[in-house]
């Protein structure tokens, strides 16, 4: 079993290596703290498993996945990252990632996940939203979580962060966090662009 861990954080790599060596039979494990180093490993050999962090210092996740699909088309890619929104995880799963292991997994969850992965099985956390079939329409529902959709609906009505927070019973800080995630998921940079994006997709559904 040959494993490549692509993660800029030393302690995360070390912890994962410890778990892998506990359950795998003499695994060959390679570490890369950047995508550039990972590519040099991939050019020289094939791997059974690749654990991939989304936040790399020298590569965006989408181009990185496209590259991995080219140089390692048969390798089982595992998203190994901090907890992400459902829309983000769905996007990378659609782009070629086969499994998802959040970094906040409990010891028992991590153990079960690693055992499954070493057996060649796919691992997705027990979240019904992740396993639901994704809507193939171009509507906002296929990009955003239910809470993000609520916020977008209110944003499209011209409401301020404070007004949205009061309606939903959450803080303005939480609204800002959600908006940041929404902007990243739909690839816009401000409220005006996000509102336009949302309204255009609602129009498509109506039409």
């Amino acid at each position: 079993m040959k494993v490549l861990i692509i993660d800029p954080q030393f302690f995360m790599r070390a912890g994962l290596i410890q778990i892998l060596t506990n359950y795998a039979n003499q695994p060959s494990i390679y570490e890369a703290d950047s995508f550039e180093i990972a590519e040099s490993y991939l050019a020289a050999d094939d791997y059974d498993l690749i654990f991939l962090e989304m936040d790399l210092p020298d590569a965006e996740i989408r181009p990185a996945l496209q590259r991995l699909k080219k140089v390692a088309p048969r390798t089982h890619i595992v998203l190994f990252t901090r907890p992400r929104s459902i829309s983000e995880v769905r996007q990378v799963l659609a782009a070629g990632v086969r499994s998802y292991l959040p970094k906040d997994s409990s010891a028992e969850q991590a153990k079960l996940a690693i055992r499954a992965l070493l057996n060649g099985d796919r691992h997705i956390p027990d979240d019904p939203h992740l396993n639901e079939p994704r809507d193939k329409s171009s509507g906002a529902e296929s990009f955003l979580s239910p809470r993000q959709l609520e916020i977008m609906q209110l944003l499209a009505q011209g409401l301020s962060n404070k007004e949205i927070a009061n309606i939903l019973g959450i803080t303005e800080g939480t609204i800002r966090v959600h908006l940041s995630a929404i902007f990243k998921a739909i690839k816009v940079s401000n409220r005006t662009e996000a509102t336009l994006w949302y309204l255009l997709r609602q129009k498509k559904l109506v039409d």
Side-chain angles (χ1 to χ4, degrees):
M1 172 69 71
K2 296 196 71 171
V3 181
L4 176 60
I5 302 171
I6 310 173
D7 194 310
Q9 298 177 323
F10 166 76
F11 285 110
M12 285 296 173
R13 298 196 309 271
L16 183 55
I17 289 170
Q18 181 64 46
I19 298 174
L20 287 166
T21 52
N22 285 343
Y23 295 105
N25 182 23
Q26 297 182 326
S28 297
I29 304 175
Y30 296 78
E31 304 174 62
D33 61 7
S34 69
F35 196 71
E36 181 181 5
I37 293 174
E39 284 197 288
S40 67
Y41 284 135
L42 290 163
D45 213 340
D46 295 326
Y47 294 84
D48 301 294
L49 280 173
I50 293 177
F51 289 86
L52 178 66
E53 163 62 62
M54 280 185 75
D55 296 320
L56 298 173
D58 59 344
E60 293 293 329
I61 187 64
R62 285 176 180 272
L65 284 172
Q66 289 172 358
R67 181 64 181 155
L68 288 176
K69 285 176 73 175
K70 248 183 207 180
V71 300
R74 292 183 296 276
T75 301
H76 187 144
I77 300 174
V78 183
L79 182 66
F80 178 58
T81 191
R82 62 180 173 79
R84 299 284 183 161
S85 68
I86 290 169
S87 60
E88 285 182 291
V89 176
R90 279 180 161 178
Q91 286 172 28
V92 294
L93 289 173
V97 168
R98 286 189 60 200
S99 297
Y100 172 39
L101 177 59
K103 287 183 176 178
D104 70 340
S105 299
S106 68
E108 186 64 24
Q109 289 170 334
K111 180 171 69 176
L112 292 173
I114 293 300
R115 281 178 171 170
L117 294 168
L118 291 173
N119 286 331
D121 297 326
R122 190 181 186 199
H123 174 76
I124 301 292
D126 189 17
D127 185 330
H129 295 294
L130 286 175
N131 295 306
E132 288 173 355
R134 184 167 176 171
D135 186 357
K136 293 183 180 179
S137 75
S138 59
E141 292 82 357
S142 62
F143 291 84
L144 305 177
S145 70
R147 175 61 89 184
Q148 290 171 338
L149 275 173
E150 287 181 318
I151 292 171
M152 278 303 309
Q153 288 164 359
L154 296 170
L155 186 71
Q157 295 174 29
L159 300 182
S160 67
N161 285 1
K162 184 176 182 180
E163 290 170 324
I164 296 172
N166 288 337
I167 291 171
L168 297 180
I170 55 181
T171 67
E172 285 187 71
T174 301
I175 295 295
R176 287 193 291 272
V177 170
H178 278 300
L179 286 175
S180 178
I182 290 169
F183 293 170
K184 186 174 181 181
I186 64 177
K187 300 188 184 310
V188 301
S189 57
N190 56 54
R191 299 165 70 92
T192 302
E193 291 177 0
T195 299
L196 180 61
W197 178 93
Y198 176 79
L199 292 174
L200 286 172
R201 275 156 182 77
Q202 294 307 103
K203 185 176 186 300
K204 284 181 182 178
L205 290 181
V206 172
D207 292 346

